[in-house]
Amino acid sequence: MEILYLGDNSKTSTSFHRASALSRLGHNVNIYSPKDCINENMKSMLGNLFHYRTGYRFLQKKIVKWLTDILSKTPKPDLIWVNSGELLGVDCLKKLKELGCPVVLYNNDDPTGGRDKGRFYSLLKAIPYYDLIAVMREINIAEYKALGAKKVMQVMMSYDEVLHKPFSNIDDIPPQFKSDVAFIGTWMRFEKRDEFILTLINKGINVSIWGGRWPKSKYWNQLKPHYKGGALGGKDYIAAIQGAKICLGLLSKGNRDLYTRRSLEIPFIGGLFCAERTSTHMDMYAEGEEAVFWSSAEECAEVCLNLLNNDNLREQIRKGGREKVLKLKGGNEDICKKIIDNI
């Protein structure tokens, strides 16, 4: 199948690896990033913030012109796959629909949840023009249909079968990535991740933190000794998860998350997944056998202390999680095939 893929094409992005999964399934994928045509408009912090808050509505003419140009030199597709879609408004979708093939939207954010203010203005206006929309949360289904969506399906967030392949020999993991308890993620205002981790530290747990924006935390002085560096990618990301005795999975309440990509990536890579006790997490994994859960920072601390003192139990749960995540079929190839079969 000839697929026109519109999404971030930087090789570190999840979008790029989803396109790669489509290629591995045997499709011919032409990937273009709408961001390429608006780089000039997004160079300054002010410009970036303005267009983010106004849902990119003032860039639509420029993006339509860019689309017209790439469509003129791209083989006629059998399918158009839009990843994220926040930059494409109604006129962009009308242009794509001229090609006479199905247009799919895959978005793992929560555009109808309101956390990101005006960011998804253009996307939400364009919802009725998609032939199929893949969402990650059950709550999104009715909300998209209320906006005029023709067809909505729920899929899991996914790991990538190639990008997230674990080290075959754990001795190859560099020592700087070995830890007792690891958290890999961004500091986010109002999410209280810093307070949560500080509670664990005060309970005597040695937490290693990787991710962006942590110096913004008001608890930075206490967290700084546990901070190991910025955002991780590639083999470093694998090493930090596989090299930890326990890996924390923290949710974004603003995004109405009941699970995240980490919920699948951590067990697939071979980490022991330790996360909030939600209905989705409990549907995915057997508690105490395939993952461990908690309902508060205090309970998380107790769980971690118990596991850190029990090597055999940790290994048993880690292996159980790895076996279960493979049964869930939550890889990029699995999810892409499911979407294409649906359309």
Side-chain angles (χ1 to χ4, degrees):
M1 185 185 293
E2 195 78 35
I3 298 178
L4 172 61
Y5 188 98
L6 300 174
D8 190 347
N9 59 7
S10 59
K11 292 189 176 180
T12 57
S13 68
T14 56
S15 171
F16 175 83
H17 294 290
R18 195 163 296 113
S20 297
L22 288 166
S23 296
R24 295 196 298 268
L25 289 171
H27 303 293
N28 186 34
V29 181
N30 293 292
I31 178 170
Y32 294 94
S33 175
K35 289 182 179 178
D36 289 347
C37 74
I38 60 169
N39 281 336
E40 286 296 317
N41 303 85
M42 311 295 282
K43 275 185 176 179
S44 71
M45 185 181 295
L46 187 60
N48 203 333
L49 182 62
F50 172 78
H51 291 299
Y52 181 97
R53 291 284 177 85
T54 56
Y56 309 99
R57 69 185 83 176
F58 300 106
L59 297 173
Q60 290 306 298
K61 287 185 179 179
K62 191 171 187 177
I63 299 171
V64 169
K65 185 175 182 299
W66 170 82
L67 265 180
T68 303
D69 180 53
I70 67 163
L71 294 179
S72 69
K73 56 189 180 187
T74 304
K76 188 178 186 305
D78 301 301
L79 174 70
I80 299 169
W81 184 297
V82 177
N83 196 81
S84 178
E86 63 186 296
L87 299 181
L88 306 184
V90 170
D91 289 342
C92 293
L93 266 295
K94 286 180 177 178
K95 175 58 66 174
L96 293 175
K97 295 295 285 182
E98 290 175 6
L99 296 177
C101 66
V103 184
V104 170
L105 171 66
Y106 176 103
N107 186 297
N108 63 6
D109 281 305
D110 187 15
T112 51
R115 183 193 73 174
D116 298 319
K117 307 301 180 186
R119 173 187 175 189
F120 293 108
Y121 175 87
S122 296
L123 167 68
L124 295 176
K125 293 291 184 184
I127 290 300
Y129 293 87
Y130 287 97
D131 297 286
L132 174 66
I133 297 173
V135 300
M136 313 296 119
R137 301 162 186 80
E138 185 178 359
I139 197 170
N140 292 140
I141 297 173
E143 292 170 345
Y144 273 76
K145 286 183 177 178
L147 291 169
K150 295 173 185 172
K151 188 176 183 181
V152 187
M153 68 180 289
Q154 184 181 359
V155 298
M156 284 193 294
M157 296 187 193
S158 50
Y159 58 84
D160 188 81
E161 296 86 346
V162 174
L163 176 67
H164 296 129
K165 185 177 179 181
F167 285 87
S168 55
N169 186 347
I170 59 172
D171 292 334
D172 293 335
I173 297 173
Q176 67 266 31
F177 293 114
K178 294 184 178 179
S179 65
D180 283 346
V181 177
F183 176 68
I184 305 166
T186 307
W187 173 86
M188 300 174 75
R189 193 181 300 276
F190 308 123
E191 293 287 354
K192 298 186 178 181
R193 292 176 170 182
D194 46 6
E195 291 183 20
F196 184 95
I197 291 174
L198 190 57
T199 298
L200 300 188
I201 292 168
N202 289 337
K203 294 280 187 181
I205 296 169
N206 186 15
V207 184
S208 296
I209 305 166
W210 284 272
R213 301 173 64 196
W214 282 92
K216 291 179 177 288
S217 168
K218 63 181 179 181
Y219 303 108
W220 174 240
N221 287 337
Q222 295 107 301
L223 296 171
K224 188 175 181 180
H226 297 266
Y227 185 68
K228 305 301 180 183
L232 296 175
K235 284 295 183 184
D236 289 349
Y237 179 68
I238 307 299
I241 289 176
Q242 205 175 350
K245 294 176 182 177
I246 302 168
C247 288
L248 296 175
L250 302 184
L251 305 177
S252 169
K253 297 298 169 40
N255 239 10
R256 301 187 294 180
D257 286 340
L258 295 176
Y259 78 115
T260 69
R261 286 201 310 271
R262 299 279 198 277
S263 305
L264 293 110
E265 291 172 357
I266 288 171
F268 180 77
I269 289 168
L272 194 163
F273 184 52
C274 177
E276 184 174 344
R277 188 181 289 108
T278 67
S279 56
T280 303
H281 278 153
M282 294 182 75
D283 285 343
M284 293 169 74
Y285 302 110
E287 184 171 1
E289 297 174 19
E290 299 163 344
V292 291
F293 303 130
W294 39 263
S295 296
S296 67
E298 289 74 18
E299 185 184 4
C300 180
E302 290 178 18
V303 168
C304 288
L305 287 170
N306 179 50
L307 287 171
L308 291 171
N309 290 316
N310 195 328
D311 295 349
N312 291 334
L313 180 59
R314 278 204 321 273
E315 184 62 10
Q316 188 180 334
I317 296 172
R318 186 194 68 78
K319 284 183 176 178
R322 168 77 175 166
E323 290 170 7
K324 182 59 177 291
V325 80
L326 294 175
K327 289 179 184 175
L328 289 173
K329 294 190 176 298
N332 272 335
E333 293 173 30
D334 299 309
I335 301 303
C336 288
K337 185 177 186 304
K338 188 175 181 180
I339 291 170
I340 287 176
D341 287 348
N342 195 304
I343 196 67

